[in-house]
Amino acid sequence: MAAGALLSTQRARFAAADPLVPPPQGLPEGEVLTAATTDGVQVSAVLQSQRHAAGSLDLLWSAERVWQLFPFPGETGTEGMDVLLRAWRHRMDAESPGPDSACTVTWPSRDAPAIHAFLSHGLIPASVLAVRTARPEADGAPPRGVTIRRARREDFEETLDLIMVTFDYTAQVTLRARPGVRELIAPQLRRSLDAGAPIWLAERDGVAVAVADCGWVEAAPGSWAAELLPVGRWGYVNNVATRPEARGGGAGRALMAAVHRDFHASGATGTYLYFNPTNPLAAQFWPRQGYRPLWTYWEAQPASALR
Ligand SMILES: CC(C)(COP(=O)(O)OP(=O)(O)OC[C@H]1O[C@@H](n2cnc3c(N)ncnc32)[C@H](O)[C@@H]1OP(=O)(O)O)[C@@H](O)C(=O)NCCC(=O)NCCS
């Protein structure tokens, strides 16, 4: 199928699945894989591979060696995706992936027919990009004894400790656990605090018990962000954590109410974040805060787990 036709079919499929998913802007570069359904419908995909260097921030959420598929299954429902994933499985026979490797596909969360194909090839929903476009809730007063304030430069150590709480927890509920996370994130946090980034702390009786590390992302037409989000200025909620002994006390909810109010007052189109569906606290907390899945990051880890 010609590039223009591939793109318009993909746009139609994405729009039918979820009107909030932005229309794909172009075809990715890479190795082309092709397959056919039993009715003889030709489908194709583009395969890219990359290796993240030691010390790269990408290693916080990614395997070191990654093969990423960009499928173009057309209007074939589950079957077109299934035959493309099978072709990918055969293609991976030519590789020798080590333990720190993954096969990944990013796909609109609401395209239900694709999910069956992903699961049958050993891919799991490792992460979800979720968005919130609602107005902030009027009622977001913190519980008694809790105050919310912006983090300052001098809060660096306390803020870093709180951010590490998320990594300690997600190490238990995902396959991604790495040594050296603290050293990897410290320089970035210092830069963000120096730049006055929107990082928030919840304090109970004067002690910081929760953090929301946020920032701005501009989804300008043609940018990487506009591939994922509707065009606009988005509040990015990068890391949220409450100390284990303070969980369930309303600090997280009060923190996010402040974050939503602040982003809304500053003209944000909405806010977005990533969470792991296998994280039982996040999977309860984020939908309650008004977030819903837009993209799902399907992953087989190690890459040899693709079947
Ligand atoms: C997600 C998280 C930040 C929420 O923070 P929190 O301060 O516990 O949030 P709240 O107290 O406002 O709300 C937590 C929800 O869990 C319930 N809960 C009750 N007891 C709880 C407990 N012991 N532990 C956790 N949650 C509990 C709360 O009642 C509330 O549910 P509700 O919205 O239905 O009322 C926190 O659970 C956490 O730090 N998790 C580990 C790190 C993490 O997963 N971060 C998010 C990564 S995307």
Side-chain angles (χ1 to χ4, degrees), residues 166 169 240-242 246-253 274-275 279 281-282 284-286 288:
T166 294
Y169 187 78
V240 176
T242 300
R247 282 178 200 153
R253 199 183 319 161
Y274 295 87
F275 76 86
N279 176 336
L281 296 179
Q284 177 196 3
F285 184 71
W286 292 120
R288 295 269 290 176

